[in-house]
Structure formats: structure tokens, C-alpha cells
Amino acid sequence: MGKSQKKRSMRRHNPMRVPDSHLPKGLESAASSSPKNEAVLPIIQKLENPDASERKWACVAVSNLIQNDPSTRRLLQGKNVVGALITRLSDSEEEVWIEAAGALRNLCIDGGYDICAEMYNKNILAPLKAFVPKISSALSQFLESPKTAPENAQKVVYEFTENVNTILWCLSETSNKALNAINQINLVPFLMSFLAARAKLPIATVTAAAQCLYVLTDDNQPAIDELRSNAAYSTCLLEIVHDEDGVKDKKIIWDRITTLKVLSSGILSNVSPFPPPSSASGVDVGKEIVLPLLQPVVASVSLTESSELAESLVVKLALEPPQIEKLSLKNAPKSDHRSDTEVELDRLENKLRTVQLALEILTGMCATLPDPEPIPELQEGEPDAEEDEDNDGVIEEDVTDGMALDDIPITNGITTASHLPALVEPLITLIQPVRLSFPPAAGQSSHPPTTSVLSAIHVSALECLNNIFLSLSASPSSGLAAASTSGKQIWDGVWAALGSVGTEITRGQERKQEMWEIGVGVLWGVGNIWKGSLVPNEDQIQLLIQLCNSSTDPAIRVKCIGTLECLAQHPQSIDANRVIAMHLLSILPTSTASSTYGTEPLIQTLSALIDIYSDENLPYDVNFRQGNFVQRLVDSVEGVRKAVRAIDRRKERDLKLRGEEMRDNLIAFIKYRRALRC
């Protein structure tokens, strides 16, 4: 197993809430499928109306038009609704720019990357930066003299602040350019002020600030350094994690408080370790905070019940009149106006997103492999890709070592490895698809936000499992390896999830493909731990071969090959061993043709074949002898040499070293097997 197995920490924290990938590209398909096509142009025109009440109405209408409607959202985007709303952020009327911020916030969370990138390119940060000191001033005034402003005025400011912080959160993960620009605003003190004053503020406002801070501190050194520099910040975060009553809204639902705690633990995890004199400097964040807090969260939800509840609420909602039909200048609801049914759907979505957030944090904590070391510059006189041909025959002592993790040093995650297996059972449950997990073929889910978060939970749970079994594989345990019954249950659980996903994947069902790609990595980790005890299944073998052949991603092919290698080593499964071996041999170059699978899959294949047939006393070794595999390996040697020589040492130093090692191992293995025949 190799470093490509590690799930990197960088990812979008706000995957598209209402995807439009099921629609063909272009505005025509959106126009033909949108039920509100005729309403788009009048609303765009009203955004420019001289009458402020008309402009406010148009901003509210945008929020209502796009609700769970990607077709209409795309049509509005085609009419430059983003540019028009950004202009309204500088409107002379306060109510207009407040509603414009709400509409932009909804576009961000529903539309994802493309709309966020458009906002950044159209300079939304200019008005947002101007709002930050104004919000800070208003917040200070409210906290110092709460009676100086009416409660309704405070409510408006808090809701506006929540929208601004949400937009900043979404923008910060749009691109490195956007993140660098947001770093220049120095948001950490601004955001921490909301967390520090959480007892006097609405929980939604505090949570939005925490969400933005969580994203900003994810592998972003300026924000990390800023948060580490003030010991009061870590103290505040620790208080939130442990505090039961430090919020203003005493009657709020459990999910909101849990979300804030989960976000705070994520921030601590992102920024850890803290230097003295911080109160968090001696805290093992993973062991003492993340696991105890988040493990119950991921075990607390039933996705089946959640899906059924969402479906029943959607049926109920369909009987209510659409919000757009109730809009008028005299009856213009706020952009966050929702019916009781919509509020209940949002509450369910927030709970599910908290579970997904917890999984994301746990996944990062479970990643034990170190980041790749920077590739040093080639020193003068060091051989490059064209100068190492004379070394093609060097033989290393260990002929069975391929991409094993055993020699890779383990970092901080391994200190909590003894706790990780307890996570496995709820994670296996969370990867099982339910009715609303994926949209129908080339269609839209009955409730896209619920489907979006359910599929995100499945993917995140698989990522967490991937890192758990990668960690366990990297530090072998004889006791764990002996627990073959547990291994089979986990193996069957992963295959049950992938079986429910199926292999028919159409436009708009990209999450299904993600589940297969990550799931194969989990299977590799599980197979590596219980290698030799897992009985291969013919259908599973064929699916792995099919995925290996159809994928163009070298990392996916490597995972498939690694998993097949584990299955091939069940001693009594001679026929399955033969099927797998024939596939692996087909990947090798011949005396007349190079491999078409890519260099890294080729190296993994060599490692697999050497590992499978390193013990000639195993029952399945009959396949090697009767099939004359040694001659097939001999025929591949020159092609392997050429493939290794073609790796650019300057660009792929680690791959070059592994390739050279495997080339030498291949030659040594051929000599070893030939000697056995003498």
C-alpha cells in the first residue's frame, strides 16, 4: 500500500447543496426544465429598479426562486444575477443590501464552487471587507449597551452577520487566490469575537462564525498562526467544547449546540498543537477531545429514519403553496422565511451535516501517514532519468517489498490507534445507502439538500474507514489479524454498501463513483490486515478487474490491484488465484509492447505478483508452475526497465526509487524461482 491511499485534508467543506450535474450543459436545458422560466427576467430587471422596495422584493424573490431548483438557478446565473446582487450590496437602502446578502448566501451554499468563483471574480470581497468593521462596531455596541437598540434591529444585524460569514466561508475554499485575499482581511479576531460572546448572541450567528473559522484554519498557516498567537482563543474553544450552557438561546434544539461543539473541536484539531502558555498546550486534542465528543455524534443518527422523515416532509411540503406565489410588494417575506415543514427539513439537514462534519474531522485525525517530504534538488553529478541505465541490474536483498507501509514512520494519529476500532461499527452503518442517498438516473432528488448530505455522509464515512485501516495496516497486530470473523464482517459490510450503490452510474450520480473509488481503498486496507483469511468471491473479483480496466486514474488502478493481491493469497482458493494472476500478468509489458496501465499500477502489479508467489509451498503456487509464469515475468523485464527509466527523477523522485527497487526485486525473484526448478 502506498501514500496515494492517504486521504488529504484539503477538500470542499460545502459540497454543492443542490447539484445541477444531472442537467445537460448550457442554458437551453435549464430553460426547458425550469418551471419558473418566465419569472427570471422580470426579477433581474427589478434588481435595477429605482424603487428600493422593488429592489428588495427582487432580492427576496431570488432566494425563493432558487430553492431546490438548480434549473432556475442556472438561468438566473446566465442573466448575471451574481453581478446584480453584488451591486446591491452597495445599495443606498439598508434593507436592500441586507436582502442581497441573504440571496448571495443562498446561492453560495446551494450552487457551490462555480458560483463562488464567479462571486470572487466579480469582486464581492470589496463590499464584504467594508462590512466587517461595521459589524464589529455594531456587535460591540449591542454587547456593551443592549438596550440602546431595539431587539428587532439586533436581530437584523445578527442575521446579516450570519450571511456575510457564510459567504466568506464559502469563498475561502474557492481557490488559493480567494483564500489569500481573505487572509488579508485578518478575520480570526473578528470571528473569535462571536465565539467569545456566545452567551449573549444567537446560536446561529455564533455557529456561522465558527464554521468560517473552521474552514479558514484547515491547512491555512496564516490563520493557524493567528489563532495560536492568542492563548485566549484556545481557552475559549476549550470552554465551548466542555460547556453545556454557554449560549444565549436556552430553548434551541440539541443539534445547534452539538454543531458548535463539533466545529470547535475541528478548529482545535486544525490548529493543534498549541504552544505554551495556552491552556490547550498540554491537551491531546485527538484523544481527549475529538474522539470522546465525535464518536457519539456519528453513532447518534439513523440514516434510514432520516431518509424516511425527509420523504414524509417533502410530501407534506408539496401540499403547501410555493413561496414565489405568495410574493408581492405588500407581502414580501424575508429571504429566510420558511414554513414549519421547511424548518423541520432544515433541522434534519443541519443534524445530518453535523454528522458529516464530525466524520470529516475524524477522517483527518485518523490519517497517520506523514506528508511527502519536499523533493530535494538533484545535486550536480546525480544521475537523472537518462543516466541510470547501467544500474538496471542491481539486486536488493528483500525481493518481496513493494509499496509496503511498514517502513514509513507513523505520526501523531497512531497514538489513538487503540481507540479507532470502536469507530468501525457505526461507520459501516453510515456507508449503507438509503432511499434518498442518490438522485435518480439523469434526474433530481425529491429533496436535493437531504440527498446531498446523505451521500456526503456515505463518502466521508468511507474516507474515515480508509484512514482507519490504513493506520492499522501500517502497524500490524497479530491479535487483530487473528480476528478473522471481524475481518469478514467488515469486508462484507463494505461490499454490501458498494452492492447497493451498483455499477450503473449516470449523469448526476457522481457520488456513486466516489463511493466505489474510496471503497476500493477501504477493501485494500481490510484485505491487507486479514490477508490469507478472506475467501475470494468470483463476482467481487470480476468487479475489481472491471474497475481496474475501466478507470483512467492510476491511483484507483493501484487500489484495485492491491485488493486483488490480498484476495489471491487465500491458500485454498486456487481457481480464484488463477483468475487474479492472469489479470495481473495482462498488465505487464511484453517483449514487444509496453504496459498500457501506467507506471504506478505496473509497479504495484510487480509487487503483487512477487508477494503472492514468494512462498512456493502454498497450494495455489501450482498456478505459477503450471502456467509458466516465470517466463512471462522474464518477457516483461525489458519493458519494466524502460518504464522505470522513463520516470523523471526530478518530478517523481519517490516513484523513481520504488520503480528501481521493484525492477531489482523482479530480477531477483526470477532468479529465485528459476533456482527452485533446478
Side-chain angles (χ1 to χ4, degrees), residues 367-388:
T368 62
L369 285 182
D371 289 329
E373 292 293 328
I375 297 175
E377 295 290 332
L378 280 178
Q379 300 299 314
E380 186 175 349
E382 185 175 357
D384 61 16
E386 302 299 327
E387 296 174 344
D388 61 356

Side-chain angles (χ1 to χ4, degrees), residues 1 5 473 491 520-537 541 544 558-571 573 576-577 580 584 604 607-609 611-612 618 620:
M1 297 174 71
Q5 273 283 84
S473 298
W491 178 267
V520 174
V522 179
L523 291 172
W524 188 11
V526 174
N528 212 44
I529 293 169
W530 287 284
K531 189 183 295 183
S533 66
L534 293 170
V535 180
N537 173 287
I541 291 172
L544 290 168
V558 165
K559 294 176 187 179
C560 291
I561 293 164
T563 308
L564 288 167
E565 171 194 341
C566 297
L567 289 175
Q569 294 185 61
H570 185 257
S573 298
N577 175 278
I580 293 170
L584 296 179
Q604 183 63 38
S607 172
L609 287 165
D611 198 26
I612 293 167
L618 289 170
Y620 59 67

Side-chain angles (χ1 to χ4, degrees), residues 566-586:
C566 297
L567 289 175
Q569 294 185 61
H570 185 257
Q572 287 74 40
S573 298
I574 297 173
D575 290 341
N577 175 278
R578 184 186 305 110
V579 172
I580 293 170
M582 296 310 294
H583 171 65
L584 296 179
L585 290 171
S586 73

Side-chain angles (χ1 to χ4, degrees), residues 2 39 84 88 105 145 178 197 218 271 326 335 384 418 428 471 569 584 601:
R88 296 279 67 82
R105 175 255 188 198
S145 307
D218 181 11
V271 180
K326 295 187 284 185
S335 56
D384 61 16
S418 61
I428 292 293
S471 171
Q569 294 185 61
L584 296 179

